Amino acid sequence: WAYFAACAARYRVRSGNRWPRMERNEVELELLAGDVERPRSGSASSTSSSSSSSSSSSSASEYDAPLSVSTIVGPTHRLKVLGVAAVLLLALFVFVVVGMDEFAGSTSSSSSSSSSSSNVPHISGGARWTAKWESDSIAWHDLPSFSANAMAGAQKGYYRRPALRGNTILFVSEGDIWRTSTEGGLAVRLTSHSGFESHPCISPDGKRVAFSAQYQGVTELYVMPVGGGLPERVTFEGSAMIPVSWHSNNQVVVRTRAFSRLPDDQLAIVDVATLNITRVPLSQALDIAYFTAPGSNDADACFAFTRVTQSSHTKRYKGGTAPQLWKFCPKEDEAERMTTYVGTSKNPMWHDGRVYFLSDRGNGIMNIFSMNEDGSDVRSETEHDCLDVMEATMDPSSGDILYQNGADLYLYDVTAKSSKLIDIYVSTDFDQRRVRWENSPQSYLTASSLSPGGTRVALTARGQVFAAPANPILGTRIAQATRNGGLGRYREATFISEELIMALGDETGELEFYLLPANGVGAGRRLTNDRGATVSIYDFAVSPVIKQNVIWVSYTDTEFRLIARPLSLTDFEDELNGAENMHVVSEVAEYGRMEWSQDGEWLAFTKTEPNQMAAIHLFSTESLTQAAVTSARFNSYSPSFSSDGSFLYFLTDRAISGHIGSVWGDRQQEAFLLPSTQVFCLPLRPYSDPVPPFVEANEVLVEFVLSGGMFSLSNDSSVVLEGAAERAMHVDFIPTGRYTKMQVIGSQQLLLQSISFTDNPLSQVNFMLLASLLRRSASILNEFVPMNSFAVNAQRTRVLLRRSSSRLSLLSVGDGSLDMAKESIDLSAWRLQLDPQKEWRQMYLEAWRLMRDYFYDPGMHGTNWPAIRDKYLPLVDRVSTRDELDDVIGQVVGELSALHVFVYGGDYRSISADDVVPLGFLGAALSSNVQCVRCREAAADARCECGYVVEHIFRASPEYPDRAAPILAFSPFGAVSEGDLVLSIDGVPLSTVAHPNELLAHKDNSPVHIMFGDASDPSQVWSSIVTPMDASSFAELRYDEWEFSRQEAVEVLGDGRIGYVHLRAMSTGSWERWVRAFYPVYAREGLIVDVRHNRGGNIDSWILEKLMRPAWMFWQGRNGDETKQSTWNMQYAFRGYIVVLCDEHTASDGEAFSEGFKRLFPDGVLMGTRTWGGEIWLSSDNRLVDHGIASAPENGVYDLNGNWLIENHGVEPHIEVDNYPHETFHGKDRQLEAAVEHILQQLREQPIANPVAPAYPNKAVDGCYERP
């Protein structure tokens, strides 16, 4: 380097401040490597005057001459330069030979010399290294202090997941891990994979970093040198493995659910050398802080841990899963709680006898606090009053704490009691901010609409509007009607003419109506100026008629209003377009499909009435009034005007017919309603012309027609609303079905969308039915199964069929038929340019606005909602990935202190499908490195490396053999038992791989050959074909075992007198679990309904209803023994004692069930711990432009006395019983045992028995015969 620098400097002087041609770089490198001079290339200079070959050679242009000392440095300076070069070379030798040797040895003992050298970054001029040498390792106290030129192009990113050791800082930005020092400056990127690399933890000796990564799809544990290098995979569990700390220089503590039966987070210690995993004996634990010096590896050291955490983004949370700190000492019998504050206490860190942690006690903002190891003497360490301390990590040696606040990292000095900002810059191309092209806009298609003539299709995708030709004569150009680059989002684009499209847009910050050019030429025009509005419009319909540049529009909003208004198409400043001309057609109701009449005079819409039935209403643009035209005794919906405006067709659920003939039968069978939807026709004038086209001909009708009656009646075409409901007629030739949508097409045809159930009753497909009113015929268009939806153009001549997100077809309406020669809309060339930074800003603002418009409390829980928007908006400019945007949005919506606030989904950077490596699972826990006879025979006292022991086989209920562990697959050679050996998989000995799951890569649901052996008898070897399950099925199997083991325990502890039902959620699948588990035990004396870990749903009323059925009479047969054959009414009514078990993870509808049980069953007992506390229900309709969401709680719950229920507190049990983490890990279920004992005590005090049947009556008549 020194020689090259000297040569380059001299060369630059001789060339007149011009650098030599870059083509010679390879020659320069050869010279540095010690190569001899090479022959020059090129022709001789024209100025050459020497005839000798040497002179001719040296007379070549100096730019073409081979590099050498003589050609670069003149004779007068050669000696001086060589002297300087010698000194510099000596300095370089000392640095490289001594310093780099130590550095290479410190990074990884297993790394090759070539990989070690890659840890040395190239440093620009002015960089310095300062190293503190400690035995065989290096601790960086100062990373490169880069020059001003090097820092000039650097920018600030969004920094999360900090790690600290000495002066080394690791953090996550752009989904990758970076390194810098406590002095800040320019950070170095350590990882670059497209998946997420996160949660870095630095080893006690500072040499290695453990982190989670998605290199092969699933988030697993990896380690690599702290200076960078090739990551090594350490776990193969197929479940998220998140490092939280190091136990020693070779052991990493991870958080995972890979080994738990319930879906609880637990801790495990992974040996990065042997890959052995030791579980920390706690049933619930998220993190760990050892009360000992770093790296001491004291197996008996006490530690603090966070037991549980909430799943929502809620701030100032005080529900049942509020994080609390606990302490566990391995020599003690049980863990004990350290904190008593009702809010959050989490993220423990230990130093010098004190536990530091994060909490929102005090001002409600998350800050750092500390306390003694026994939980006493709680002190505030930091005093942030605006942004929360998000995540924190400690250097165990100094006690300094590194934490995230906003988008930055701060370092807290525990001695000085002060924090400082770490000024960090990242040198990056911000790849995920880069403008890019979306090659499949169809996957983001949210709306499609035909032009009135059916020649174009308006497409709304990713918030932008396009127009595609629907007729080949228009070519193939797809025009973009909006060109705001992502600064605003457009919705529901709808053609109003062949040239103009109307859409909703939010460029002003609120939703407004815009007029857009269908050909993409020219700018769009805003039609409305409703900046004062604070609601979202989520559905609108436009009149097919434009009169004097005015068009009527109807829409519904989040205030549950239906509004109709005229809009001038000329200028948004026209007073006609002002908010004062909005006509509120209806208030505080749910609405269905809207349709305008062909003349634009009437609007038909569906409104949900107070009895929850839907009725059809008509609104007149002339009188500005509305009225119902159907009753609310049946659901009526999907209205559609006939083309001439004489009739209104609609769907109605009036064919009520049950499938069950009797209430008696298996499992309290109930009537199942058969398809009940029929098509009705409403004449809009009382029995006037024309005659409904579907009416069957008869002699009176023929006489009427022949007499010219159809054309001789009054020409009055006005709609008569009075008595409309009584004029409705059944279109009887169309069969009853499960119709969801109907539309008049052509002049006398109906197109219906219907549901057809598949073999699985939970799944369904849509199909279409075409009805010809004149021909009185209806036929199913089987060709179009399945399909998603359809739309019809204003002239009703074409049908746009959406078969999937990426397939649109066009059908032409013929006379009584649809042209089956469908025309596909060619979208193969459709591309969409995306500007992520503009989109992220738009999504941030829209997430804020949608929360404002959808949240159940218009007052936003008393917050200054605009101020909250402005408070976090600057962080958006720091965001460099979609995931980081979620972090910001989560902080915003969390300010409402409401549950059911989840931020997820969206256009995340994903790994290539080719990189995803799913694992198969045998349904068993395997352990390695145990003694076995086979090894001892091979070599005395050798450790068993010939196989893995089947330590445990997970068991589901034997009633459902299809759910059994795959390892139990039938083999004619024998069954596998716990204690047997797995010797090989597909012929590969397990002794040759680091982990058996390596041999199950890509084997989920694919058969493999496994060789088994008997550990005690080497002669017993057999094989079996096993089909491994995928990771989610394995998790379900572990849960199955937990549930089945509870059922078995109740059978034993309750002596067969108590039934047990566990509900994992409140979904349709949970209803099936209820049916399978409850009815076999309904006649028992006691019942435990276990809703612990219940994830919610919406069937609480079903379950409560079943439990509320009372027995009020009994039947007695001939046997006279009331204890054997007696039955009662109501059927399957439970008559015994009930205990409901709940815990901190009982959530949402599981909590509604728990609270309902407390209120409706005065003799029942709710037992366990306080629940999650989320009871503002939601719909998840407020999706963002990339399909992500910040879910909005929309419907609060209150009781008969007007008190809010459950929210941000949870349901309090009658009897509090906790399952402590250590004893629960070892199999004890204190809550279940308490429930069984409670019921048994009740039975001892007051047994449940059938009433004694009375004596049979004496019906004899005295005197007629002699009494026996």
Side-chain angles (χ1 to χ4, degrees):
W1 291 351
Y3 177 63
F4 183 81
C7 294
R10 176 62 177 166
Y11 201 106
R12 185 168 181 261
V13 172
R14 291 188 61 192
S15 59
N17 290 327
R18 292 178 297 168
W19 291 101
R21 285 170 46 182
M22 298 306 295
E23 290 83 354
R24 289 306 182 195
N25 280 347
E26 69 271 20
V27 181
E28 298 165 353
L29 294 176
E30 289 176 2
L31 178 64
L32 288 174
D35 290 351
V36 297
E37 293 185 358
R38 295 170 52 189
R40 66 181 177 90
S41 60
S43 60
S45 171
S46 59
T47 61
S48 175
S49 60
S50 174
S51 59
S52 66
S53 59
S54 59
S55 298
S56 176
S57 175
S58 63
S59 64
S61 168
E62 65 176 311
Y63 292 104
D64 289 334
L67 289 177
S68 67
V69 175
S70 60
T71 58
I72 296 180
V73 185
T76 58
H77 302 283
R78 188 178 307 154
L79 189 59
K80 185 183 298 184
V81 170
L82 287 176
V84 174
V87 174
L88 293 174
L89 281 172
L90 179 60
L92 179 63
F93 174 83
V94 173
F95 181 75
V96 172
V97 174
V98 180
M100 291 297 98
D101 221 41
E102 289 288 343
F103 180 74
S106 70
T107 53
S108 176
S109 59
S110 60
S111 300
S112 65
S113 59
S114 60
S115 64
S116 296
S117 64
S118 66
N119 294 323
V120 184
H122 178 71
I123 309 171
S124 61
R128 297 178 295 106
W129 293 97
T130 304
K132 176 182 176 183
W133 304 97
E134 296 177 342
S135 63
D136 62 341
S137 64
I138 185 170
W140 300 106
H141 286 267
D142 286 313
L143 286 174
S145 176
F146 292 89
S147 67
N149 289 337
M151 296 286 288
Q155 301 181 53
K156 287 198 171 186
Y158 193 92
Y159 310 135
R160 298 186 292 168
R161 310 273 191 253
L164 175 66
R165 185 72 65 174
N167 278 18
T168 300
I169 288 177
L170 300 181
F171 61 90
V172 174
S173 185
E174 295 188 85
D176 296 320
I177 297 173
W178 299 69
R179 187 190 71 230
T180 187
S181 76
T182 52
E183 298 303 317
L186 193 62
V188 177
R189 190 195 299 264
L190 298 183
T191 65
S192 59
H193 192 260
S194 58
F196 287 111
E197 296 94 48
S198 189
H199 297 88
C201 290
I202 306 174
S203 61
D205 60 10
K207 293 181 180 181
R208 288 183 290 184
V209 54
F211 62 100
S212 61
Q214 299 174 321
Y215 292 127
Q216 295 186 339
V218 178
T219 302
E220 298 276 7
L221 177 67
Y222 291 79
V223 296
M224 71 177 182
V226 76
L230 182 66
E232 298 178 10
R233 183 171 178 174
V234 180
T235 60
F236 299 83
E237 302 303 328
S239 182
M241 307 290 284
I242 308 299
V244 297
S245 179
W246 285 75
H247 184 56
S248 69
N249 284 326
N250 286 313
Q251 294 177 314
V252 180
V253 184
V254 299
R255 179 178 75 244
T256 183
R257 295 184 177 182
F259 313 113
S260 60
R261 295 187 296 176
L262 276 176
D264 274 324
D265 289 304
Q266 298 179 343
L267 297 178
I269 300 175
V270 182
D271 190 305
V272 299
T274 66
L275 307 192
N276 287 340
I277 296 178
T278 304
R279 297 172 64 189
V280 176
L282 297 170
S283 64
Q284 296 174 320
L286 296 168
D287 47 28
I288 197 166
Y290 288 103
F291 296 174
T292 183
S296 65
N297 197 20
D298 183 357
D300 295 327
C302 299
F303 56 84
F305 64 96
T306 309
R307 182 172 167 184
V308 295
T309 189
Q310 60 145 325
S311 57
S312 183
H313 283 78
T314 310
K315 297 187 179 185
R316 294 167 286 283
Y317 168 65
K318 294 178 173 59
T321 57
Q324 298 295 328
L325 295 185
W326 287 60
K327 179 176 72 174
F328 180 64
C329 298
K331 290 185 177 181
E332 300 294 332
D333 293 333
E334 187 52 75
E336 61 182 38
R337 184 168 171 173
M338 299 177 66
T339 54
T340 57
Y341 170 60
V342 70
T344 294
S345 300
K346 64 178 183 178
N347 199 168
M349 300 160 283
W350 179 89
H351 178 71
D352 197 19
R354 291 190 68 80
V355 177
Y356 295 78
F357 61 99
L358 304 185
S359 180
D360 58 2
R361 64 189 73 199
N363 62 1
I365 303 298
M366 202 71 69
N367 272 285
I368 300 175
F369 290 79
S370 70
M371 62 183 173
N372 290 330
E373 293 177 3
D374 61 1
S376 63
D377 188 27
V378 178
R379 305 174 189 170
S380 173
E381 299 288 340
T382 61
E383 296 181 351
H384 291 281
D385 58 1
C386 184
L387 299 177
D388 288 314
V389 175
M390 298 288 287
E391 295 171 290
T393 182
M394 174 182 281
D395 175 28
S397 299
S398 66
D400 290 346
I401 299 174
L402 182 69
Y403 61 90
Q404 177 193 350
N405 184 255
D408 289 302
L409 301 183
Y410 287 77
L411 187 65
Y412 177 69
D413 188 321
V414 295
T415 302
K417 304 295 183 183
S418 62
S419 295
K420 71 170 184 177
L421 170 69
I422 307 298
D423 205 16
I424 301 173
Y425 294 84
V426 288
S427 181
T428 174
D429 60 356
F430 289 111
D431 179 65
Q432 296 179 68
R433 289 182 180 177
R434 182 170 49 84
V435 175
R436 62 182 179 85
W437 287 88
E438 172 58 54
N439 293 324
S440 300
Q442 302 94 317
S443 60
Y444 295 98
L445 187 64
T446 56
S448 54
S449 165
L450 279 170
S451 66
T455 60
R456 288 188 175 93
V457 179
L459 306 170
T460 309
R462 196 76 179 227
Q464 302 302 313
V465 177
F466 298 80
N471 192 319
I473 65 174
L474 296 179
T476 59
R477 185 177 77 93
I478 299 177
Q480 183 168 355
T482 53
R483 296 188 179 277
N484 60 6
L487 287 175
R489 177 184 182 181
Y490 289 88
R491 299 169 178 259
E492 304 296 329
T494 302
F495 270 104
I496 63 171
S497 71
E498 293 300 315
E499 298 80 22
L500 295 175
I501 297 172
M502 183 177 289
L504 288 166
D506 64 1
E507 291 190 37
T508 65
E510 301 291 347
L511 285 176
E512 308 277 6
F513 283 98
Y514 285 79
L515 206 59
L516 308 171
N519 63 1
V521 178
R525 300 199 306 275
R526 179 159 55 93
L527 297 179
T528 56
N529 187 18
D530 298 338
R531 283 176 177 258
T534 57
V535 295
S536 285
I537 300 170
Y538 57 88
D539 192 16
F540 77 91
V542 296
S543 168
V545 177
I546 301 175
K547 295 180 180 179
Q548 298 179 344
N549 284 325
V550 173
I551 189 171
W552 274 84
V553 179
S554 62
Y555 55 87
T556 56
D557 63 22
T558 51
E559 294 290 334
F560 301 101
R561 301 178 302 175
L562 189 149
I563 294 172
R565 64 192 297 185
L567 291 179
S568 169
L569 303 180
T570 56
D571 191 348
F572 80 89
E573 294 182 351
D574 192 314
E575 62 177 289
L576 182 65
N577 291 3
E580 62 275 9
N581 282 321
M582 294 192 305
H583 303 285
V584 179
V585 178
S586 179
E587 293 187 275
V588 193
E590 297 281 352
Y591 305 97
R593 181 168 175 263
M594 300 174 286
E595 181 176 293
W596 288 90
S597 62
Q598 291 295 92
D599 60 6
E601 299 293 331
W602 292 89
L603 171 69
F605 62 93
T606 302
K607 175 184 176 182
T608 300
E609 304 295 345
N611 66 349
Q612 303 301 305
M613 294 291 181
I616 293 176
H617 292 239
L618 291 181
F619 168 75
S620 169
T621 59
E622 181 178 348
S623 65
L624 302 181
T625 60
Q626 63 92 18
V629 294
T630 67
S631 74
R633 298 191 62 84
F634 303 95
N635 284 318
S636 299
Y637 49 96
S638 194
S640 185
F641 289 97
S642 64
S643 297
D644 62 1
S646 300
F647 307 101
L648 182 68
Y649 294 90
F650 60 93
L651 299 176
T652 182
D653 296 337
R654 304 193 185 194
I656 307 300
S657 176
H659 184 61
I660 302 298
S662 171
V663 297
W664 296 103
D666 184 37
R667 296 178 178 85
Q668 190 191 321
Q669 58 188 8
E670 297 184 11
F672 176 79
L673 295 180
L674 295 172
S676 61
T677 309
Q678 298 174 318
V679 178
F680 270 52
C681 172
L682 176 65
L684 295 177
R685 294 181 293 276
Y687 300 105
S688 180
D689 291 335
V691 173
F694 59 88
V695 175
E696 283 191 282
N698 56 55
E699 55 191 86
V700 175
L701 180 59
V702 171
E703 180 181 354
F704 177 76
V705 172
L706 292 177
S707 65
M710 292 186 67
F711 309 100
S712 60
L713 296 179
S714 169
N715 291 326
D716 184 7
S717 60
S718 59
V719 173
V720 178
L721 298 179
E722 183 179 358
E726 290 76 18
R727 298 198 297 268
M729 305 171 64
H730 179 205
V731 185
D732 55 358
F733 73 90
I734 299 178
T736 300
R738 292 187 179 93
Y739 305 119
T740 58
K741 179 181 177 181
M742 181 189 64
Q743 174 73 54
V744 175
I745 61 173
S747 57
Q748 307 287 357
Q749 298 172 75
L750 301 178
L751 187 62
L752 296 98
Q753 180 173 314
S754 183
I755 297 173
S756 175
F757 288 103
T758 64
D759 292 338
N760 179 0
L762 297 182
S763 65
Q764 59 192 39
V765 294
N766 296 325
F767 67 91
M768 295 171 63
L769 182 141
L770 178 66
S772 173
L773 297 173
L774 289 174
R775 298 176 182 176
R776 289 183 54 83
S777 63
S779 58
I780 296 175
L781 305 179
N782 289 321
E783 182 182 358
F784 305 118
V785 177
M787 50 85 69
N788 288 352
S789 62
F790 71 88
V792 179
N793 66 323
Q795 297 176 13
R796 298 181 171 180
T797 58
R798 309 197 89 181
V799 177
L800 180 66
L801 187 67
R802 185 173 175 181
R803 301 185 63 183
S804 66
S805 61
S806 59
R807 296 182 63 187
L808 296 175
S809 299
L810 198 61
L811 311 179
S812 296
V813 179
D815 184 14
S817 65
L818 279 175
D819 184 359
M820 294 302 125
K822 60 182 182 296
E823 306 169 20
S824 294
I825 307 297
D826 184 9
L827 301 178
S828 59
W830 188 17
R831 300 292 184 271
L832 172 60
Q833 190 181 58
L834 303 177
D835 188 330
Q837 285 188 281
K838 292 180 180 178
E839 272 200 339
W840 293 339
R841 186 178 182 87
Q842 186 278 329
M843 283 191 278
Y844 172 88
L845 295 173
E846 185 176 34
W848 173 89
R849 189 186 73 243
L850 290 176
M851 184 63 75
R852 179 201 67 188
D853 296 347
Y854 278 79
F855 193 59
Y856 84 110
D857 174 16
M860 307 305 287
H861 277 183
T863 64
N864 185 337
W865 197 235
I868 289 174
R869 174 199 59 202
D870 298 339
K871 169 182 173 181
Y872 291 98
L873 183 58
L875 298 182
V876 178
D877 294 332
R878 298 279 298 274
V879 163
S880 58
T881 70
R882 180 64 174 84
D883 180 63
E884 292 171 357
L885 178 67
D886 277 356
D887 195 69
V888 179
I889 294 176
Q891 295 184 62
V892 173
V893 296
E895 294 282 0
L896 293 171
S897 297
L899 278 295
H900 280 117
V901 174
F902 308 112
V903 181
Y904 62 93
D907 191 6
Y908 301 131
R909 182 177 66 171
S910 60
I911 68 174
S912 168
D914 295 335
D915 288 342
V916 177
V917 183
L919 298 177
F921 296 89
L922 302 178
L926 306 181
S927 63
S928 62
N929 291 332
V930 297
Q931 299 286 352
C932 71
V933 174
R934 192 178 319 282
C935 287
R936 289 199 298 269
E937 288 184 347
D941 299 325
R943 292 188 66 81
C944 176
E945 295 181 349
C946 56
Y948 276 66
V949 176
V950 180
E951 189 176 87
H952 179 71
I953 299 175
F954 292 96
R955 299 180 306 138
S957 170
E959 304 286 351
Y960 306 103
D962 292 342
R963 299 180 69 90
I967 200 171
L968 296 175
F970 171 78
S971 172
F973 300 105
V976 178
S977 301
E978 293 177 357
D980 289 335
L981 297 175
V982 179
L983 303 177
S984 67
I985 298 177
D986 279 340
V988 180
L990 266 62
S991 60
T992 64
V993 296
H995 194 286
N997 282 355
E998 287 189 85
L999 300 178
L1000 295 176
H1002 288 297
K1003 297 297 184 181
D1004 53 318
N1005 302 310
S1006 298
V1008 296
H1009 178 280
I1010 297 184
M1011 184 70 71
F1012 296 100
D1014 189 326
S1016 61
D1017 185 356
S1019 64
Q1020 295 297 318
V1021 178
W1022 69 98
S1023 61
S1024 179
I1025 300 298
V1026 174
T1027 302
M1029 56 177 45
D1030 58 31
S1032 61
S1033 298
F1034 185 35
E1036 283 294 301
L1037 175 61
R1038 299 197 303 272
Y1039 201 150
D1040 286 344
E1041 180 178 85
W1042 181 89
E1043 181 178 346
F1044 180 55
S1045 63
R1046 305 308 100 169
Q1047 178 185 321
E1048 287 184 312
V1050 172
E1051 289 292 325
V1052 173
L1053 296 174
D1055 196 23
R1057 304 171 68 188
I1058 303 173
Y1060 174 82
V1061 178
H1062 175 61
L1063 295 176
R1064 305 182 187 187
M1066 290 289 181
S1067 61
T1068 304
S1070 300
W1071 167 250
E1072 296 167 356
R1073 289 180 179 275
W1074 167 265
V1075 171
R1076 286 195 294 264
F1078 170 72
Y1079 291 104
V1081 299
Y1082 89 97
R1084 296 195 180 182
E1085 301 165 83
L1087 176 67
I1088 297 173
V1089 181
D1090 189 349
V1091 292
R1092 294 177 294 177
H1093 276 68
N1094 187 287
R1095 301 185 299 274
N1098 54 19
I1099 66 169
D1100 65 284
S1101 57
W1102 281 3
I1103 309 301
L1104 290 169
E1105 175 196 2
K1106 304 311 173 192
L1107 293 176
M1108 289 176 66
R1109 291 169 67 91
W1112 66 275
M1113 74 175 190
F1114 294 79
W1115 282 271
Q1116 178 63 54
R1118 286 177 55 87
N1119 66 351
D1121 185 353
E1122 72 278 358
T1123 65
K1124 294 181 179 179
Q1125 298 277 338
S1126 292
T1127 56
W1128 53 80
N1129 196 357
M1130 298 178 173
Q1131 305 82 12
Y1132 292 100
F1134 181 76
R1135 301 176 50 242
Y1137 298 107
I1138 305 175
V1139 171
V1140 171
L1141 286 177
C1142 63
D1143 67 3
E1144 63 277 0
H1145 290 296
T1146 302
S1148 193
D1149 199 44
E1151 298 178 273
F1153 169 78
S1154 300
E1155 183 68 26
F1157 177 79
K1158 283 183 64 177
R1159 291 169 178 262
L1160 299 175
F1161 294 80
D1163 296 328
V1165 172
L1166 183 68
M1167 185 180 293
T1169 55
R1170 186 159 50 92
T1171 63
W1172 180 54
E1175 209 58 31
I1176 309 176
W1177 290 29
L1178 71 168
S1179 67
S1180 297
D1181 287 337
N1182 53 320
R1183 295 279 172 177
L1184 300 177
V1185 71
D1186 67 345
H1187 297 170
I1189 189 173
S1191 59
E1194 299 175 47
N1195 295 282
V1197 174
Y1198 61 95
D1199 64 12
L1200 297 175
N1201 298 318
N1203 301 309
W1204 294 112
L1205 291 176
I1206 303 172
E1207 179 64 22
N1208 205 1
H1209 180 77
V1211 181
E1212 296 273 3
H1214 292 115
I1215 302 175
E1216 183 173 355
V1217 181
D1218 195 1
N1219 273 357
Y1220 296 117
H1222 183 58
E1223 65 179 16
T1224 303
F1225 177 86
H1226 288 293
K1228 187 176 181 62
D1229 192 332
R1230 184 182 295 270
Q1231 293 168 336
L1232 188 73
E1233 293 172 5
V1236 172
E1237 178 56 32
H1238 183 84
I1239 292 175
L1240 290 177
Q1241 180 62 30
Q1242 288 180 302
L1243 291 175
R1244 286 191 289 268
E1245 296 173 358
Q1246 187 175 351
I1248 301 294
N1250 290 341
V1252 178
Y1256 293 110
N1258 183 359
K1259 301 291 185 178
V1261 179
D1262 291 340
C1264 294
Y1265 52 85
E1266 184 178 352
R1267 186 181 294 274

